[in-house]
């Protein structure tokens, strides 16, 4: 497994546990895609027949299944790379320039036939996970600059057109709304143009052929980018479907100066014949094995709903005491602790502790939290500034703005030009000062508006997020114990670019309604890891009062947090919260580190059923938001168990013992009643 190379015929294969991906250098010197699908062991089986034109309206360059099509010649299809040379040439004619291979990577080297300009196709393989990673790097070896008008990271070829696209759409408070649509004969474009937020679409795609959770062909991929991305899906006139992902070319130009290189964000993709469940397991395992730190995430309490901007030291300590009584492990003070921050109209940028709210600084609060044996976290929004702040008065040129235009504000704030080295230094030093001065374990990094008025710079859409990544990596290198949470008005920065550049957790959505979160979390689970999904119990809901138990069960499906005003909790609510937090800790390892299953059922009632399982235990979550007229229960068949082992669990108040084979093939009957009913059933494997 790994890389297979026929050096004589220039045929290349990438082999995973169950799949093969193959391409070759053809008779025209083009990098031609050959195959992506179930495993084929021998490269000898792959022919590379010469291409010939079908008609004068179907040029060879347009018909060739190129691995990485460029703009140039008689190509009218979507291209991955378009550049402008210094002499005005807007065309690439490439030739094969060899390959290099290590244990970790295969690189195909291509160069322009006239200009000393090279681009390299990079391939990595995660064999056991049936995943491949692709990206492209550019090298300008000339004395003149090159302007990059478009750069996509990869193009994939799928040999079918009868496919269904699954991805997400939405908006603030409604991120990760799943949609499905059949491919027609037009082009589908999913994108982000806002620089920061991706509430509307997310950089992933899933294409299937009548697949179910456990069967059927599924092709899928994600882009490791947090900013402006573009996904293009296009059925081809002569069959098959193309998928491209990369930096959105909208308003974007990159200048590659003499001697410079540029590396595009990576695209991770996979294929399975075993349905959506296998896809999710591969992506989750990739995150757990190659991205996320080991261990379990702490139970969190965040003070925002209790106090909003009106934070006071004594009240925060009182909240911490109540949180500790419940079993919380991490106390996070949210917005309002700094500058003249009494509303969203001031304070951002003036990152000093407000002395009226904290006369002795943050030390008394942190000491109190640490004295209760809890971790301490803090909220920041380092890329933003409010107009009244001293920072903006001292540095009016530090924001994105357009001359002769009124500066845009949204949520009463402007966006710092993070592409400036002095702004990057300011942000890093601010965070470094906080972490060196105070014993902080957790940072909630927020970003509450899109970027606008970018002026003459058209590469800032890329450079801004590169700078954010760089700052986060530097912070983690200096303070490796600190957990970073990616937040952008909720789920605006849920992507692998954030995870692989220093961040540990996602704030999944500002919508904390426990019922809404079931659908948000379901779509999130397709490609993103459960362990990074922060989910809170809060006072907020968009409907009639939801029981506290249902709220907890919904939030326990990820990394549990709380945001209620617990100072107003009754003794009964405190007791129930403590019991449920303790129950979460009992199943936390299997929830965060186990395998996740979206379970199907045939009940006439609208049950939501999910399972987490590892080698020794499983946890089954069952939700019934509303009992229908037919008061029917649900038969649930579990998955991922040891069919030869016996499992012990509680059902209807009695201890039950069943084999894994029975639980997976026959299943168990569960009946909930009323509105917003829920239960968790824990299965222990017998020794």
């Amino acid at each position: 497994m790994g890389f297979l190379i026929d050096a004589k015929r220039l045929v290349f294969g990438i082999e995973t546990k169950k799949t093969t991906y193959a391409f070759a250098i053809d008779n025209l010197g083009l990098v031609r895609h050959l195959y992506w699908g179930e495993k084929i062991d021998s490269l000898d089986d792959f022919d590379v027949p010469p291409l010939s034109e079908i008609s004068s309206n179907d040029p060879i360059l347009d018909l060739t299944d190129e691995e990485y099509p460029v703009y140039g010649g008689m190509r009218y299809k979507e291209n991955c790379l378009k550049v402008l040379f210094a002499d005005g040439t807007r065309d690439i004619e490439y030739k094969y320039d060899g390959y290099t291979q290590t244990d970790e990577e295969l690189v195909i080297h291509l160069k322009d036939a006239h200009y000393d300009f090279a681009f390299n196709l990079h391939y990595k393989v995660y064999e056991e996970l049936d995943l491949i990673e692709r990206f492209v790097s550019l090298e300008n070896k000339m004395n003149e600059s090159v302007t990059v008008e478009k750069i996509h990271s990869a193009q994939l070829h799928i040999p079918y057109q009868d496919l269904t696209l699954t991805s997400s759409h939405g908006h603030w408070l409604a991120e990760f709304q799943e949609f499905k649509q059949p491919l027609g004969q037009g082009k589908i474009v999913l994108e982000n143009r806002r620089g920061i937020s991706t509430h509307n679409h997310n950089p992933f795609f899933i294409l299937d052929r009548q697949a179910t959770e456990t069967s059927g062909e599924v092709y899928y991929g994600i882009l490791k980018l947090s900013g402006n991305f573009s996904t293009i899906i296009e059925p081809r006139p002569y069959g098959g479907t193309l998928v491209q992902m990369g930096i959105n070319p909208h308003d974007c130009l990159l200048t590659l100066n003499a001697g410079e290189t540029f590396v595009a964000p990576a695209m991770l993709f996979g294929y399975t014949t075993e349905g959506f469940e296998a896809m999710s397991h591969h992506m989750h395992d990739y995150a757990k094995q190659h991205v996320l730190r080991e261990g379990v995430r702490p139970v969190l309490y965040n003070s925002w709903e209790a106090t909003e901007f009106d934070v006071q030291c004594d009240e925060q300590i009182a909240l911490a005491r109540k949180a500790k009584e419940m079993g919380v492990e991490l106390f996070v003070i949210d917005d309002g602790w700094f500058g003249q921050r009494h509303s969203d109209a001031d304070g951002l940028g003036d990152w000093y502790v407000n002395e009226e709210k904290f006369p002795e600084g943050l030390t008394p609060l942190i000491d109190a939290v640490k004295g209760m044996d809890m971790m301490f976290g803090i909220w920041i929004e380092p890329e933003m500034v409010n107009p009244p702040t001293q920072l903006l008065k001292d540095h009016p040129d530090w924001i994105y703005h357009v001359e002769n235009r009124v500066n845009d504000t949204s949520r009463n704030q402007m966006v710092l030009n993070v592409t400036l080295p002095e702004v990057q230094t300011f942000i890093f030093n601010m965070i470094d000062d906080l972490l060196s001065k105070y014993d902080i374990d957790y940072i909630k990094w927020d970003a509450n508006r899109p970027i606008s008025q970018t002026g003459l710079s058209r590469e800032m859409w890329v450079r801004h997020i590169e700078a954010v990544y760089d700052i986060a990596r530097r912070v983690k290198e200096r303070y490796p114990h600190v957990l970073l949470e990616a937040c952008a008005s909720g789920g605006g920065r849920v992507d692998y670019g954030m995870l692989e550049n220093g961040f540990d957790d996602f704030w999944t959505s500002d919508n904390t309604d426990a019922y809404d979160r079931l659908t948000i979390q379901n779509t999130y689970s397709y490609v993103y890891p459960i362990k990074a999904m922060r989910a809170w119990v809060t006072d907020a809901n968009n409907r009639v009062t939801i029981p506290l138990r249902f709220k907890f069960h919904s939030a326990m499906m990820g990394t549990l947090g709380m945001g209620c005003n617990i100072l107003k909790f009754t003794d009964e609510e405190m007791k129930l919260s403590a019991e449920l937090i303790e129950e979460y800790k009992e199943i936390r390892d299997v929830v965060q580190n186990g395998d996740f299953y979206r379970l199907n059922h045939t009940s006439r009632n609208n049950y939501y059923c999910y399972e987490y399982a590892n080698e020794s235990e499983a946890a089954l979550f069952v939700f019934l938001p509303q009992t229908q007229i037919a008061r029917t229960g649900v038969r649930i068949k579990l998955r991922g168990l040891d069919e030869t082992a016996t499992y012990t669990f509680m059902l209807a108040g009695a201890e039950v013992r069943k084999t894994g084979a029975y639980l997976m093939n026959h299943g168990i009957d569960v009946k909930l009643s009323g509105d917003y009913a829920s239960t968790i059933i824990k299965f222990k494997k017998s020794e």
Side-chain angles (χ1 to χ4, degrees):
M1 292 189 288
F3 301 116
L4 307 175
I5 299 175
D6 183 335
K8 183 177 181 180
R9 296 194 303 141
L10 294 179
V11 178
F12 302 87
I14 303 172
E15 196 171 71
T16 72
K17 184 177 181 180
K18 295 182 179 180
T19 73
T20 296
Y21 184 99
F23 58 92
I25 310 301
D26 71 8
N27 60 304
L28 298 178
L30 302 175
V31 188
R32 191 199 303 183
H33 178 80
L34 298 178
Y35 177 78
W36 180 29
E38 290 190 83
K39 196 167 185 177
I40 300 173
D41 287 317
S42 175
L43 288 184
D44 294 339
D45 290 332
F46 291 103
D47 298 319
V48 191
L51 288 178
S52 59
E53 290 184 350
I54 294 176
S55 74
S56 61
N57 285 294
D58 294 297
I60 287 178
L61 289 178
D62 224 32
L63 294 177
T64 302
D65 292 336
E66 291 183 88
E67 272 289 279
Y68 196 77
V70 298
Y71 180 84
M74 296 185 72
R75 290 182 180 90
Y76 305 99
K77 57 193 176 185
E78 284 288 341
N79 60 79
C80 285
L81 181 63
K82 183 179 181 181
V83 303
L84 171 64
F85 293 103
D87 62 4
T89 300
R90 298 173 56 239
D91 177 285
I92 297 174
E93 181 183 347
Y94 73 80
K95 60 183 181 180
Y96 173 69
D97 195 34
Y99 72 90
T100 55
Q101 180 200 353
T102 65
D103 291 340
E104 293 78 27
E105 186 177 50
L106 170 66
V107 184
I108 304 299
H109 302 287
L110 308 171
K111 65 180 298 184
D112 190 86
H114 176 76
Y115 301 96
D116 202 0
F117 172 77
F119 57 103
N120 310 292
L121 310 184
H122 298 254
Y123 299 81
K124 295 183 178 180
V125 60
Y126 300 91
E127 298 177 28
E128 292 300 314
L129 304 177
D130 287 325
L131 292 172
I132 299 169
E133 181 172 298
R134 284 186 59 185
F135 61 93
V136 62
S137 61
L138 310 181
E139 299 177 81
N140 178 13
K141 302 178 182 180
M142 299 179 292
N143 294 324
E144 302 86 12
S145 64
V146 175
T147 301
V148 182
E149 297 185 13
K150 178 182 179 182
I151 180 167
H152 272 185
S153 299
Q155 175 170 275
L156 304 178
H157 296 257
I158 300 173
Y160 311 111
Q161 289 193 345
D162 56 335
L163 298 167
T164 298
L165 168 66
T166 301
S167 194
S168 72
H169 71 99
H171 52 78
W172 178 62
L173 297 180
E175 303 90 332
F176 288 101
Q177 301 300 299
E178 177 188 323
F179 74 87
K180 290 181 178 289
Q181 67 182 72
L183 299 189
Q185 286 302 315
K187 199 176 294 184
I188 298 173
V189 179
L190 306 175
E191 64 175 1
N192 174 48
R193 297 183 174 188
R194 301 174 181 230
I196 292 179
S197 299
T198 57
H199 298 86
N200 306 108
H201 294 290
N202 193 272
F204 77 90
F205 77 89
I206 303 167
L207 291 166
D208 76 276
R209 300 185 73 211
Q210 300 180 326
T212 68
E213 274 293 306
T214 56
S215 67
E217 291 182 274
V218 182
Y219 299 82
Y220 57 96
I222 61 99
L223 185 70
K224 299 179 181 180
L225 179 65
S226 310
N228 287 5
F229 74 91
S230 171
T231 302
I232 300 174
I233 303 167
E234 182 179 18
R236 303 185 68 198
Y238 287 94
T241 299
L242 302 179
V243 180
Q244 286 186 18
M245 299 188 82
I247 296 168
N248 195 333
H250 172 74
D251 192 45
C252 184
L253 291 177
L254 294 171
T255 300
L256 206 60
N257 293 316
E260 285 188 342
T261 62
F262 177 78
V263 179
M267 181 181 181
L268 187 69
F269 57 95
Y271 165 79
T272 180
T273 61
E274 299 172 352
F276 303 114
E277 180 183 289
M279 170 196 71
S280 295
H281 287 179
H282 293 158
M283 290 302 303
H284 293 178
D285 288 344
Y286 168 78
K288 287 182 286 190
Q289 294 175 22
H290 298 281
V291 183
L292 300 173
R293 70 166 68 177
E294 295 182 356
V296 294
R297 298 286 189 269
V299 178
L300 171 155
Y301 177 81
N302 181 289
S303 67
W304 171 252
E305 281 196 10
T307 61
E308 295 193 354
F309 296 104
D310 188 23
V311 295
Q312 304 289 336
C313 185
D314 290 345
E315 189 173 34
Q316 294 292 308
I317 292 174
L319 285 165
R321 289 197 184 102
K322 297 284 280 188
K324 178 62 179 178
E325 287 179 35
M326 295 177 173
V328 167
E329 299 159 315
L330 165 63
F331 180 86
V332 180
I333 181 173
D334 208 277
D335 200 350
W337 59 269
F338 55 90
Q340 295 304 307
R341 190 68 166 170
H342 306 290
S343 70
D344 62 15
D346 199 354
L348 287 176
D350 291 344
W351 296 104
Y352 59 86
V353 179
N354 185 293
E355 293 182 356
E356 295 176 5
K357 300 176 180 181
F358 297 91
E360 302 175 62
L362 293 176
T363 300
L365 172 59
I366 296 174
D367 286 349
V369 170
K370 296 288 181 173
M372 300 175 207
D373 197 26
M374 286 192 292
M375 301 163 67
F376 179 80
I378 199 164
W379 179 97
I380 59 174
E381 192 173 0
E383 298 157 74
M384 306 294 168
V385 63
N386 290 127
T389 54
Q390 190 62 44
L391 178 70
L392 195 57
K393 293 174 184 175
D394 293 341
H395 302 285
D397 56 337
W398 277 15
I399 59 170
Y400 293 115
H401 67 97
V402 176
E403 296 297 332
N404 304 316
R405 294 292 183 265
V406 175
N407 290 329
D408 286 343
T409 57
S410 179
R411 202 176 183 258
N412 298 306
Q413 61 195 53
M414 301 172 184
V415 186
L416 289 172
N417 185 348
V418 185
T419 68
L420 297 174
E422 56 269 34
V423 175
Q424 297 170 27
T425 299
F426 168 78
I427 293 174
F428 176 80
N429 288 344
M430 178 273 288
I431 299 173
D432 183 47
D433 183 63
L434 273 176
L435 295 178
S436 62
K437 187 174 183 179
Y438 297 111
D439 188 4
I440 295 173
D441 305 287
Y442 193 94
I443 288 180
K444 184 180 179 73
W445 182 317
D446 212 339
N448 280 305
R449 59 152 290 181
I451 300 174
S452 63
Q453 293 188 323
T454 55
L456 296 176
S457 172
R458 295 175 64 181
E459 62 181 47
M460 54 69 49
W461 301 107
V462 175
R463 304 306 183 190
H464 182 107
I465 196 62
E466 284 182 341
V468 170
Y469 290 163
D470 181 66
I471 293 167
R473 288 194 302 266
R474 291 167 60 198
V475 168
K476 290 303 285 285
E477 287 169 5
R478 185 167 293 188
Y479 304 97
H481 72 283
V482 173
L483 291 165
L484 295 182
E485 177 186 304
C487 177
S489 289
R493 274 182 170 167
V494 175
D495 57 77
Y496 276 90
M498 299 303 284
L499 279 188
E500 298 208 352
N501 286 280
F503 287 83
D504 304 278
D505 290 352
F506 295 130
W507 180 225
T508 323
S509 175
D510 278 349
N511 184 346
T512 57
D513 180 280
Y515 178 47
D516 289 352
R517 270 300 186 102
L518 293 180
T519 57
I520 291 171
Q521 292 168 179
N522 185 86
T523 308
Y524 168 101
S525 73
Y526 278 126
V527 296
Y528 292 112
I530 301 300
K531 187 174 181 176
M533 184 179 74
R534 275 287 167 189
W536 291 2
V537 178
T538 74
D539 295 326
N541 59 270
N542 300 329
R543 60 203 81 247
V544 298
T545 301
I546 296 177
L548 188 59
R549 184 180 298 275
F550 189 99
K551 290 182 177 184
F552 262 99
H553 286 169
S554 176
M556 288 161 67
M557 287 185 60
T559 298
L560 178 63
M562 289 193 70
C564 309
N565 186 353
I566 54 179
L567 295 178
K568 295 182 178 180
F569 266 30
T570 64
D571 290 344
E572 182 180 349
E573 289 171 327
M574 288 291 296
K575 182 175 182 293
L576 179 58
S577 297
E579 291 173 355
L580 291 169
I581 288 174
E582 183 59 32
E583 182 179 15
Y584 176 73
K585 291 177 181 178
E586 293 173 2
I587 61 172
R588 169 168 48 184
D589 184 66
V590 69
V591 168
Q592 295 185 19
N593 296 315
D595 293 328
F596 176 73
Y597 298 88
R598 296 172 293 267
L599 301 180
N600 297 317
H601 64 82
T602 58
S603 173
R604 294 171 62 188
N605 257 322
N606 191 26
Y607 282 91
Y608 293 72
C609 306
Y610 303 98
E611 179 196 353
Y612 306 78
N614 59 24
E615 296 81 4
S616 60
E617 61 182 325
L620 173 65
F621 286 67
V622 186
F623 299 90
L624 181 62
Q626 184 181 49
T627 300
Q628 305 297 317
I629 294 175
R631 297 178 177 273
T632 58
V634 59
R635 175 164 291 182
I636 305 170
K637 296 180 180 181
L638 278 72
R639 295 195 47 78
L641 304 182
D642 181 348
E643 62 181 16
T644 64
T646 299
Y647 291 82
T648 304
F649 58 99
M650 298 296 295
L651 187 64
E655 183 176 282
V656 181
R657 290 170 58 85
K658 298 290 183 183
T659 64
Y662 178 90
L663 294 171
M664 291 190 291
N665 297 319
H666 178 277
I668 59 172
D669 294 318
V670 177
K671 186 173 183 180
L672 303 179
S673 61
D675 293 340
Y676 301 111
S678 61
T679 189
I680 298 174
I681 301 173
K682 297 178 281 293
F683 299 81
K684 289 288 187 181
K685 184 178 180 180
S686 300
E687 296 296 333

